[in-house]
Amino acid sequence: LGTNLEIAYLDQNRDRLNPADTLWQTLAPQGGDQIVVRGLPRHVASYAQDFLFKPEQLRQPVSALSGGERNRVHLARMLHQGNNVILFDEPTNDLDVNVMRGLEEALENFVGTAVIISHDRWFLDRLATHILAFEGDAKLHFHNGNWSSYEEDRHRRLGAEADQPHRTK
């Protein structure tokens, strides 16, 4: 990553979107019909289609979009900003299968570090290369591997205790 950190944060409330801006203005705030995605120019309409937006939606204000559509706009905007560190807080909440596939593909092609806070075990199983977990009485455990390999390791280390929920002290 070097010393120039460009950090983006995708949270759950999507408050960073201006409801008066159109979808086009949100994706291309500097104007024009081109944005840079992973170092290459892309037409705004083509990029929006990757997130299942129809061309006629590009002129709609963000306030006219549904909650799920706003989630997709927020995700699309964040993924093309050229960051090298992305922090995700429950990124799969309210996303349909097609958008989740797009998110997975974008993360697989992302050159940088993605820190993902998620309860979506299937998503973590497909994308995680490392797991940082709080176990037992908030003990931090670092694991090289995806969710499934972490679960196997946790059961091997903790035995039956691994499946017993209890309050953290």
Side-chain angles (χ1 to χ4, degrees), residues 30-70:
Q30 286 79 29
D33 61 355
Q34 299 283 316
I35 58 175
V36 177
V37 180
R38 291 190 291 276
L40 300 172
R42 289 277 312 269
H43 193 274
V44 175
S46 172
Y47 184 68
Q49 284 179 331
D50 290 351
F51 292 86
L52 308 179
F53 288 105
K54 297 175 183 154
E56 59 269 18
Q57 290 179 289
L58 290 168
R59 301 291 178 206
Q60 287 183 334
V62 168
S63 62
L65 300 175
S66 72
E69 290 170 333
R70 289 179 195 181

Side-chain angles (χ1 to χ4, degrees), residues 4 6 9 12 17 19 34 39-40 43 56 61 66-67 69 75 90 103 129 131-132 141 143 157:
N4 295 328
E6 297 292 331
Y9 174 65
Q12 295 181 50
L17 297 175
Q34 299 283 316
L40 300 172
H43 193 274
E56 59 269 18
S66 72
E69 290 170 333
L75 183 61
E90 298 290 351
L103 172 59
T129 59
I131 302 284
L132 188 59
H141 178 76
H143 176 77
R157 287 182 294 106

Side-chain angles (χ1 to χ4, degrees), residues 2-169:
T3 58
N4 295 328
L5 291 179
E6 297 292 331
I7 300 174
Y9 174 65
L10 182 76
D11 60 11
Q12 295 181 50
N13 62 23
R14 312 331 187 227
D15 285 341
R16 293 184 181 105
L17 297 175
N18 181 348
D21 284 349
T22 64
L23 173 58
W24 192 292
Q25 291 169 320
T26 300
L27 294 177
Q30 286 79 29
D33 61 355
Q34 299 283 316
I35 58 175
V36 177
V37 180
R38 291 190 291 276
L40 300 172
R42 289 277 312 269
H43 193 274
V44 175
S46 172
Y47 184 68
Q49 284 179 331
D50 290 351
F51 292 86
L52 308 179
F53 288 105
K54 297 175 183 154
E56 59 269 18
Q57 290 179 289
L58 290 168
R59 301 291 178 206
Q60 287 183 334
V62 168
S63 62
L65 300 175
S66 72
E69 290 170 333
R70 289 179 195 181
N71 289 346
R72 295 192 331 246
V73 171
H74 192 49
L75 183 61
R77 184 176 72 170
M78 194 248 344
L79 287 172
H80 85 74
Q81 290 178 335
N83 303 292
N84 56 12
V85 177
I86 301 176
L87 305 175
F88 288 97
D89 182 5
E90 298 290 351
T92 61
N93 283 2
D94 305 318
L95 295 182
D96 62 35
V97 173
N98 292 325
V99 176
M100 282 184 59
R101 282 188 198 130
L103 172 59
E104 287 177 16
E105 183 179 313
L107 286 172
E108 287 171 349
N109 295 319
F110 180 64
V111 179
T113 300
V115 178
I116 302 169
I117 300 164
S118 181
H119 290 88
D120 188 336
R121 294 171 182 177
W122 186 84
F123 183 75
L124 292 174
D125 210 34
R126 300 225 340 110
L127 292 172
T129 59
H130 301 82
I131 302 284
L132 188 59
F134 291 94
E135 298 177 340
D137 291 326
K139 293 176 185 162
L140 198 57
H141 178 76
F142 181 80
H143 176 77
N144 276 322
N146 65 5
W147 177 260
S148 292
S149 68
Y150 164 71
E151 277 291 283
E152 289 173 15
D153 177 63
R154 187 171 71 93
H155 279 89
R156 182 187 51 73
R157 287 182 294 106
L158 303 176
E161 181 69 19
D163 294 326
Q164 301 304 314
H166 63 281
R167 289 188 182 271
T168 302
K169 295 178 186 173

